[in-house]
Amino acid sequence: MSTELERAVTETVTEEELEALIGDRALARDDHKNAPGFVVRPDDVQDVLLDLREEAGFDHLSCVTAQQYEDRYESIYHLKKYADPTQEVSVVVPTSVDDPVSQTAEPVFRSADWAEREAFDLVGIDYEGHPDPRRILLPETWQGHPLSLDYDQEKPQIVTLTEHANPIQPDHRDEESDTMFLNIGPHHPATHGVLHVKTVLDGETVADVDPDIGYLHRSEEQMCQQGTYRHQIMPYPDRWDYVSAGILNEWAYARTAEDLADLEVPEYAQVIRTMSAELSRIASHMLALGTFALDVYGDFTAIFQYTFRDREIVQDILEDLTGQRLMFNYFRLGGVAWDLPEPREEFFAKVRDFLDDLPAKVAEYNDLVTSNEIFQIRCVDTGILEPEVAKQYGCTGPVARGSGIDYDLRRDDPYGYYPNLEWNVVTEDGCDNYSRVLVRMQEVEESAKIIEQCIDLLEEWPEDERNIQSNVPRTLKPDADTETYRAVEAAKGELGIYIRSDGTDKPGRFKIRSPSFHNLSALEEMTKGEYIPDLVASLGSLDIVLGEVDR
Amino acid sequence: MSNEPRQQIYDSTAPSTDTRESRMGEGVDDRFNSKLREAFGASPFILTKFDNFMNWVRGSSMFMLQFGIACCSIEMIHSYAIKHDLDRFGAGVPRASPRQADVMIVPGTIVSKFGPRMKRVYDQMPEPKFVVGMGSCTISGGPFQQGYNVVKGAEEIIPVDIHVPGCPPRPEALIYGVAKLQERIANGESSPVVVKPYELEEFGDLPRDELVQKLADQIDEDDLVMRYNWADSP
Ligand code: SF4
């Protein structure tokens, strides 16, 4: 499946057909820059979404954006197709300010479960019929909804510490059914940060899991809404997925904002962007591999240290390029911050050295990890995630590709310089923990291919055409009420951003669709009925990063 | 601790190396020329105060808590891992349980929901315990200081001995911070326990204001709670 080959052609649904399908359930049109939008009544949501899924093939609820205007609340359902993500449609559901109640989309798309909980938590829209209408990011006892217009952040709040009860206490055991309640986290070495998994065990089998997130909810959306487009927002994406995947996240913002303000990016800058993004991807996948090995067989000494050795090399290269080891802040709207470091030959030689050494290292990892018997016993056929389930939960990235879903935005919704390069989208159809690791390992090799081609191009680039930034006005003020939702393929999957401009130099609403958030929501499906050690392996193979889950 | 050889034994101030040489034979490696070795010299005895000795021991063998919060924890792992190898300084074996740790590196942003947990983890560590705050987030809330949910610095919740600034600090900076902490411990210093705005309290002990009244039917009297107050933080 090289990018050269067209993927199986899916039927394109035209706007007229959509209009006909929705019919008079559409109250009005509210088109966004990326997709046609239809305004529907709050009690038609399930109906319309079901039709769009069944009749028109929109099987991917990519994101749910909630926001408050002066006169109404609004939920936007951004739909796409797994088979062709360039086909998009938005369903806009306004509700009144006094009584913001809207029908839930959860029976149609499972991914709406968490997305709507988040919308309720942060903005305050009630979803009627939602199976689990709790807060998700903020503590249960929080007062008010921070992204609604009348929220007063100066008011004190009270946070409880109840979940910390000892699991051996009698009230953690259910007298009748003989199950035991177990807290994993929020401070636990296998949760990759501050995740809390409430688990109910029946013997050694997992009877129920409920990930409790929000321990790293740093108000990223509010921060981005307070920054100016031109310079103040770019540092924040680095801190969403902080596993060195900063450049991939920056690209998500750059792509959205450039789309919103119609900015051009010079070709030379696109090549640099592509190269640096793939370096980031390698660093991120290396960490995923190292921590996964640490999770499944506690290997702190060999594999973990090896992957960190390789990450150091990548970080050195990126430091030469961007000036920072981790929080790069390298992209600018309309290009990148600066050109390759001088002397260029030295930089190229360094990257080439890394690429030359990589195949041997990958072979070594395969010896150590994927062909290791213990590892295979732990990973093959555990944590099964069927493709249909994965789609229902909105899984993307290596998690989806490990379930055989051939979905990669770099190829399917092309951006940057990817369409001009030779590389493959990796898929595996084992649907288990093992496949997800294999996908990541192979993606490292594919990324190396991409970097190599970029280096070739950059070396040959004529000196007087090295244009790293297009002309961008000092203050950007996109037209009022322009809305767009754009996504890129980040290390963990589809990282999307929705921006509504309100005519000022700051976004009116900034919504982040994070891949880890949706991937994590599938944990329950993967682990119920399996053994508890497999839960740890599944969690590791999802490769979540809490900065991005909680934002 | 006294590093000086005792004058009454030696003529010169130079340490005697006879014993060492006879033990090591020819070609002694440089790394044996430690201050300690020089101090011991020919005499296997050393006189010092027990407290000083304990401080020195504490500083030289620290067990870190394996504790990742946010972006800074990635650089923290890099300091443990190959190349930077914090273990060279006797401080690089992370312990997964707070009960086995004596230093807590706080690597990241603390938000309201995590605050009480961090306090609890800190409380579970045995005395004496030390805290290194890593990154701007643990100093002031860093880039997220204005967030509705963000605690403006670790010091609001637990006492911090060393602040390492940066966003994130480079591993070298963290190592420098740890080395400074060791120095302080060896000198018997640690930061005074300050009065913090955020304490864990039983819900029943809170003053009965409007908010408490409102939550009264949701929270038990003896549940532990923490009051998060954005406006009054520095
Ligand atoms: S100081 Fe910077 S790098 Fe460290 S946790 Fe805070 S935002 Fe992340």
Side-chain angles (χ1 to χ4, degrees):
Chain A
M1 279 158 285
S2 108
T3 39
E4 305 288 284
L5 300 173
E6 283 303 312
R7 40 181 307 159
V9 190
T10 46
E11 266 174 55
T12 316
V13 186
T14 60
E15 278 194 46
E16 289 76 47
E17 284 168 330
L18 279 177
E19 267 176 25
L21 180 68
I22 298 177
D24 38 343
R25 285 173 299 186
L27 304 175
R29 289 290 296 267
D30 180 10
D31 287 353
H32 299 166
K33 269 202 116 154
N34 63 313
F38 296 90
V39 182
V40 307
R41 287 224 320 274
D43 47 3
D44 276 338
V45 176
Q46 288 180 12
D47 234 20
V48 171
L49 291 184
L50 193 66
D51 277 356
L52 283 172
R53 195 185 77 192
E54 297 302 320
E55 311 289 329
F58 287 98
D59 53 354
H60 180 27
L61 173 60
S62 173
C63 176
V64 179
T65 306
Q67 55 184 327
Q68 187 183 4
Y69 292 87
E70 291 297 339
D71 60 338
R72 65 179 190 281
Y73 282 92
E74 199 175 87
S75 322
I76 307 175
Y77 296 88
H78 304 273
L79 298 178
K80 284 186 180 183
K81 292 181 180 179
Y82 271 107
D84 178 7
T86 53
Q87 291 189 44
E88 297 171 76
V89 61
S90 316
V91 176
V92 182
V93 190
T95 46
S96 71
V97 182
D98 306 324
D99 187 23
V101 182
S102 172
Q103 197 178 38
T104 176
E106 191 272 338
V108 190
F109 291 104
R110 279 292 292 140
S111 59
D113 180 356
W114 278 28
E116 287 178 348
R117 275 175 73 187
E118 186 193 320
F120 162 71
D121 193 357
L122 299 185
V123 183
I125 302 177
D126 278 325
Y127 291 92
E128 202 172 9
H130 192 283
D132 190 15
R134 281 179 298 149
R135 286 186 179 270
I136 187 164
L137 294 175
L138 291 168
E140 273 297 304
T141 49
W142 202 262
Q143 302 294 308
H145 303 278
L147 295 183
S148 64
L149 294 180
D150 54 0
Y151 180 72
D152 179 7
Q153 126 170 354
E154 315 268 298
K155 282 219 187 110
Q157 303 279 354
I158 287 177
V159 187
T160 59
L161 186 84
T162 41
E163 287 95 329
H164 251 299
N166 183 346
I168 310 167
Q169 276 171 5
D171 64 329
H172 276 60
R173 197 176 288 129
D174 186 338
E175 286 304 328
E176 274 149 38
S177 60
D178 204 26
T179 56
M180 187 178 111
F181 179 75
L182 179 71
N183 282 307
I184 305 177
H187 159 239
H188 186 276
T191 57
H192 295 200
V194 281
L195 168 71
H196 176 201
V197 188
K198 298 177 190 162
T199 327
V200 178
L201 295 181
D202 182 2
E204 220 188 326
T205 319
V206 177
D208 188 32
V209 281
D210 178 15
D212 172 23
I213 61 175
Y215 292 95
L216 193 51
H217 174 55
R218 306 190 274 195
S219 356
E220 301 264 14
E221 288 174 9
Q222 183 204 22
M223 295 290 100
C224 292
Q225 279 164 216
Q226 287 174 356
T228 54
Y229 290 106
R230 187 78 166 87
H231 293 298
Q232 292 180 349
I233 295 178
M234 197 56 94
Y236 285 101
D238 282 321
R239 289 161 180 82
W240 302 341
D241 176 357
Y242 45 69
V243 186
S244 296
I247 289 193
L248 297 152
N249 306 354
E250 287 173 24
W251 207 336
Y253 171 62
R255 188 175 188 202
T256 316
E258 281 156 10
D259 189 53
L260 192 75
D262 292 315
L263 304 175
E264 291 293 318
V265 182
E267 209 171 319
Y268 181 66
Q270 291 286 27
V271 181
I272 300 183
R273 280 183 172 191
T274 310
M275 177 195 70
S276 53
E278 292 308 310
L279 282 167
S280 273
R281 194 182 308 274
I282 291 183
S284 169
H285 283 354
M286 286 291 175
L287 187 109
L289 181 70
T291 49
F292 188 59
L294 183 62
D295 285 346
V296 297
Y297 49 50
D299 193 345
F300 191 67
T301 38
I303 300 159
F304 187 79
Q305 303 287 353
Y306 282 10
T307 54
F308 271 77
R309 172 198 64 192
D310 293 342
R311 271 176 59 88
E312 283 288 350
I313 302 173
V314 180
Q315 286 192 317
D316 274 352
I317 296 175
L318 285 172
E319 189 184 354
D320 286 350
L321 180 67
T322 67
Q324 244 280 28
R325 279 168 57 89
L326 200 61
M327 301 298 164
F328 309 106
N329 192 14
Y330 179 58
F331 281 21
R332 295 288 178 271
L333 299 188
V336 293
W338 39 71
D339 201 350
L340 303 183
E342 296 287 348
R344 290 164 73 92
E345 293 70 38
E346 211 172 278
F347 179 75
F348 292 136
K350 204 166 173 180
V351 181
R352 281 198 198 281
D353 277 351
F354 170 66
L355 295 177
D356 290 345
D357 292 345
L358 199 62
K361 286 174 178 164
V362 172
E364 190 173 24
Y365 286 128
N366 277 323
D367 285 347
L368 276 168
V369 187
T370 48
S371 48
N372 180 321
E373 228 172 276
I374 307 173
F375 184 84
Q376 292 185 356
I377 293 171
R378 290 292 310 270
C379 299
V380 176
D381 280 338
T382 60
I384 300 284
L385 183 68
E386 296 294 343
E388 282 318 307
V389 180
K391 286 183 182 177
Q392 268 286 311
Y393 280 89
C395 297
T396 47
V399 176
R401 290 194 284 274
S403 291
I405 302 172
D406 189 11
Y407 180 75
D408 188 324
L409 292 176
R410 288 174 290 172
R411 177 198 59 195
D412 301 339
D413 183 9
Y415 58 95
Y417 212 71
Y418 293 112
N420 310 334
L421 304 171
E422 287 272 347
W423 56 282
N424 299 315
V425 174
V426 183
T427 56
E428 288 281 336
D429 13 272
C431 306
D432 52 6
N433 292 335
Y434 193 60
S435 303
R436 289 187 275 277
V437 176
L438 285 186
V439 167
R440 289 199 187 95
M441 301 269 303
Q442 294 170 46
E443 276 185 15
V444 167
E445 292 171 86
E446 294 301 324
S447 296
K449 270 194 218 164
I450 298 177
I451 298 168
E452 181 134 37
Q453 294 169 50
C454 291
I455 291 288
D456 289 343
L457 285 166
L458 290 171
E459 259 177 345
E460 301 296 307
W461 213 276
E463 198 160 347
D464 46 351
E465 287 170 30
R466 292 183 194 156
N467 184 8
I468 53 162
Q469 264 186 49
S470 57
N471 273 332
V472 180
R474 192 169 280 266
T475 32
L476 270 184
K477 286 189 183 165
D479 300 335
D481 279 321
T482 340
E483 297 171 53
T484 192
Y485 171 75
R486 279 262 156 250
V488 299
E489 185 71 29
K492 318 285 193 267
E494 176 182 341
L495 177 65
I497 294 175
Y498 163 89
I499 298 181
R500 170 175 61 86
S501 70
D502 54 3
T504 63
D505 58 352
K506 295 171 181 169
R509 176 80 172 99
F510 192 101
K511 161 87 185 131
I512 309 156
R513 184 259 186 223
S514 102
S516 299
F517 181 77
H518 289 275
N519 291 351
L520 178 62
S521 68
L523 180 69
E524 194 177 337
E525 293 285 340
M526 293 163 61
T527 52
K528 249 192 202 169
E530 304 237 357
Y531 289 125
I532 176 109
D534 295 342
L535 174 110
V536 172
S538 303
L539 198 57
S541 80
L542 282 177
D543 186 26
I544 50 164
V545 43
L546 269 298
E548 194 180 64
V549 174
D550 296 345
R551 286 150 290 146
Chain B
M1 192 172 76
S2 160
N3 282 339
E4 245 75 279
R6 277 166 293 150
Q7 292 307 309
Q8 63 268 43
I9 301 180
Y10 299 101
D11 294 336
S12 82
T13 53
S16 149
T17 52
D18 301 349
T19 326
R20 184 178 77 203
E21 268 148 24
S22 62
R23 191 148 9 114
M24 301 291 172
E26 284 281 7
V28 176
D29 197 306
D30 267 354
R31 74 201 140 102
F32 289 106
N33 290 331
S34 68
K35 279 273 189 303
L36 189 65
R37 170 68 61 188
E38 285 174 16
F40 277 142
S43 110
F45 300 108
I46 201 164
L47 277 184
T48 179
K49 281 203 282 221
F50 184 71
D51 279 0
N52 289 353
F53 177 70
M54 281 312 289
N55 284 338
W56 172 79
V57 167
R58 246 170 225 148
S60 316
S61 157
M62 303 204 298
F63 286 80
M64 309 308 225
L65 176 64
Q66 182 181 345
F67 183 56
I69 306 180
C71 350
C72 277
S73 49
I74 301 297
E75 287 294 65
M76 182 186 71
I77 303 173
H78 272 276
S79 331
Y80 290 140
I82 227 159
K83 183 168 170 184
H84 297 103
D85 191 11
L86 190 53
D87 206 11
R88 288 177 295 165
F89 304 96
V93 186
R95 314 301 301 187
S97 162
R99 313 231 184 247
Q100 301 171 336
D102 46 21
V103 181
M104 177 177 184
I105 299 181
V106 185
T109 327
I110 303 144
V111 301
S112 62
K113 197 169 174 180
F114 192 64
R117 267 82 189 165
M118 191 174 82
K119 177 89 176 168
R120 174 51 67 91
V121 170
Y122 176 78
D123 289 345
Q124 285 173 341
M125 285 165 50
E127 294 278 358
K129 50 195 166 190
F130 307 93
V131 177
V132 178
M134 183 182 185
S136 329
C137 281
T138 59
I139 297 172
S140 64
F144 303 100
Q145 197 188 23
Q146 294 301 316
Y148 48 80
N149 190 22
V150 175
V151 174
K152 294 174 197 162
E155 213 146 27
E156 309 265 294
I157 296 181
I158 55 177
V160 177
D161 292 271
I162 296 276
H163 286 290
V164 183
C167 183
R170 299 176 60 93
E172 292 90 329
L174 179 64
I175 291 172
Y176 180 72
V178 171
K180 276 279 162 210
L181 176 68
Q182 291 177 318
E183 215 171 87
R184 290 189 57 169
I185 296 173
N187 291 338
E189 302 165 22
S190 86
S191 57
V193 177
V194 287
V195 182
K196 285 89 55 186
Y198 294 137
E199 278 292 357
L200 277 177
E201 290 170 280
E202 287 190 4
F203 184 68
D205 292 345
L206 292 181
R208 298 265 128 194
D209 61 4
E210 203 187 326
L211 178 64
V212 174
Q213 297 289 0
K214 208 163 166 186
L215 289 169
D217 49 343
Q218 279 186 47
I219 307 178
D220 277 354
E221 286 286 293
D222 48 5
D223 273 356
L224 286 177
V225 296
M226 186 177 272
R227 212 183 155 85
Y228 173 71
N229 202 336
W230 196 91
D232 289 350
S233 301

